[in-house]
Amino acid sequence: MTDVQIEVTGEIDNPYKKESHGFEFPRIPPLPLGQLGYPQAQEWIQHRRANIRPWALFLNTNNVRAPPSITRLSKRVMKNIEYFQSNYFFVFVILVLYCLITSPLLLLAVVVALGSCYKVSQMHARQELVLYSHKLTLAQVYAVIGVCSLPLFYLVGAGAALFWVLGVSCFLITLHAAFYNIDSVLCPGEDELNLVMHEV
């Protein structure tokens, strides 16, 4: 039997390697929502994280341009919201976290409410909760905790914080979606073509 030697050389590109676009935010570890009995929420958050666009592309100031017309503005806003929806969601989450960190009483109220929900879920896992010979589902118990928490949230100013977060989120997202030229990302060279056509 003869030995056959075959020389194999070359480079193989890794198709799973993500391209680096400059500055990248640190990765957030996944939340164990699946272990707590919320697999749909875990799956939804993983889907959001998987569809996030590179932050360097999202914050690229070279693509900031005023829209040429009102009709292009509406199309641009819709395209940006569709393309960057996961980034916009995380902008909203960052604003919520900022609001919680800068308002210690609100943070304490949220911790108390979530701690109560966690404690109840542990009790429910061991034994179903019964109230006046009526078995309560976990959703019903969460609803009761939510209703009981409303006065606490009112006292710590959760309404003002909620409207602040919603207002700032809508303002920032609309501003980015209106002025970020998504066509230069999706269809590079289209702006130069439109400029030539406009001059002709």
Side-chain angles (χ1 to χ4, degrees), residues 31 38 58-59 89-90 107 112 120 123 133 156 186 194 197:
L31 297 172
Y38 305 105
F58 180 74
L59 300 172
F89 171 73
F90 281 104
L107 181 61
V112 167
V120 164
M123 290 169 55
S133 70
V156 298
L186 298 177
N194 287 338
M197 294 295 287

Side-chain angles (χ1 to χ4, degrees), residues 10-143:
E11 294 181 15
I12 298 176
D13 291 332
N14 184 359
Y16 300 106
K17 185 179 178 183
K18 287 193 172 183
E19 296 179 17
S20 176
H21 294 280
F23 176 74
E24 292 289 332
F25 282 102
R27 293 284 179 197
I28 302 168
L31 297 172
L33 294 175
Q35 298 169 359
L36 296 176
Y38 305 105
Q40 294 90 357
Q42 177 77 24
E43 184 179 318
W44 188 82
I45 289 175
Q46 285 178 348
H47 179 68
R48 286 280 145 249
R49 288 183 68 211
N51 289 338
I52 202 164
R53 305 296 178 183
W55 287 102
L57 177 67
F58 180 74
L59 300 172
N60 188 357
T61 56
N62 294 332
N63 293 331
V64 174
R65 292 199 184 103
S69 66
I70 297 296
T71 55
R72 291 285 298 272
L73 171 66
S74 61
K75 288 179 184 177
R76 178 186 284 185
V77 168
M78 295 307 293
K79 277 185 184 178
N80 275 326
I81 289 174
E82 182 182 342
Y83 190 75
F84 289 118
Q85 61 181 316
S86 293
N87 296 73
Y88 292 144
F89 171 73
F90 281 104
V91 166
F92 175 76
V93 169
I94 289 167
L95 288 172
V96 168
L97 291 175
Y98 170 78
C99 195
L100 287 175
I101 290 169
T102 57
S103 177
L105 287 176
L106 180 59
L107 181 61
L108 183 64
V110 169
V111 167
V112 167
L114 291 179
S116 301
C117 289
Y118 178 71
K119 207 64 169 154
V120 164
S121 69
Q122 284 186 329
M123 290 169 55
H124 191 270
R126 287 188 300 244
Q127 176 185 353
E128 286 188 341
L129 300 172
V130 179
L131 181 66
Y132 296 114
S133 70
H134 178 70
K135 290 183 180 179
L136 297 175
T137 64
L138 200 54
Q140 290 171 333
V141 177
Y142 285 165

